[in-house]
Amino acid sequence: ANMPIGHMKNSDVQGTLLIHEAQAEQGPMATKMVTMAKQIMLLLKGRNSRTMTEFEETTVRFPKQQVPFLMRNGRIKHQNLTMFINDVKITTSGTVNTDQTIDLIAEIPVSEDWVDGNKYLKSMKGKTLKIPISGTLALPRVDQRVLSTISQQAIQGTATEVIENKFQKQMNKFFDKIR
């Protein structure tokens, strides 16, 4: 490690962050992660009382883990920092700069029980959502495109079913007239 005192931006440090167990409840980043997890659960599980009560808890839990990091040119790069919000597992990788700007990817594996009741989203089972997070530690911004894609997939599935049902009814009427 090369770490000039008073010049963190010029430091060159590589290591592993050892987390025995931790939790976070306050702060913009923890709040953003909880909000993101809530949005995903509402989209995938639907808005029911069970889904809503699952997120009364707003604690971000960090299990025992080892997170490799590299600090170079004022950028701290990490890989596979895992956290849980209820049963939502979020793993981040990316950079946090000494000026507090962030460039992260949050990966959320879609659990089978999240999409079991929704035939339009069932194809997402086993997939991993990759959500970019930018901005700063004080004001993180979640890229909403992934969440929009999930919404569009559900809407398209519903629209397709309505069209198919209407088409099937018309075809049945047509064939009834021929017989």
Side-chain angles (χ1 to χ4, degrees), residues 126-137:
K127 292 200 165 99
T128 298
L129 304 175
K130 294 185 181 197
I131 304 172
I133 303 172
S134 59
T136 65
L137 289 172

Side-chain angles (χ1 to χ4, degrees), residues 16-31:
T16 302
L17 174 65
L18 301 175
I19 299 175
H20 294 284
E21 189 176 344
Q23 63 183 31
E25 295 180 11
Q26 300 292 323
M29 198 64 188
T31 301

Side-chain angles (χ1 to χ4, degrees), residues 45-56:
K45 282 186 162 182
R47 187 180 300 265
N48 61 46
S49 59
R50 184 168 175 256
T51 303
M52 299 305 279
T53 56
E54 284 177 13
F55 281 99
E56 289 176 1

Side-chain angles (χ1 to χ4, degrees), residues 101-162:
T101 56
I102 57 175
D103 184 14
L104 305 172
I105 297 291
E107 295 187 18
I108 303 172
V110 177
S111 173
E112 182 176 343
D113 66 312
W114 297 354
V115 293
D116 259 354
N118 190 327
K119 61 185 173 184
Y120 309 117
L121 297 175
K122 212 172 185 108
S123 65
M124 295 185 71
K125 176 178 67 172
K127 292 200 165 99
T128 298
L129 304 175
K130 294 185 181 197
I131 304 172
I133 303 172
S134 59
T136 65
L137 289 172
L139 192 59
R141 289 188 311 266
V142 173
D143 187 331
Q144 296 293 318
R145 287 180 288 189
V146 173
L147 303 175
S148 295
T149 300
I150 296 169
S151 297
Q152 288 171 355
Q153 189 172 346
I155 290 168
Q156 286 172 345
T158 303
T160 300
E161 183 179 39
V162 168

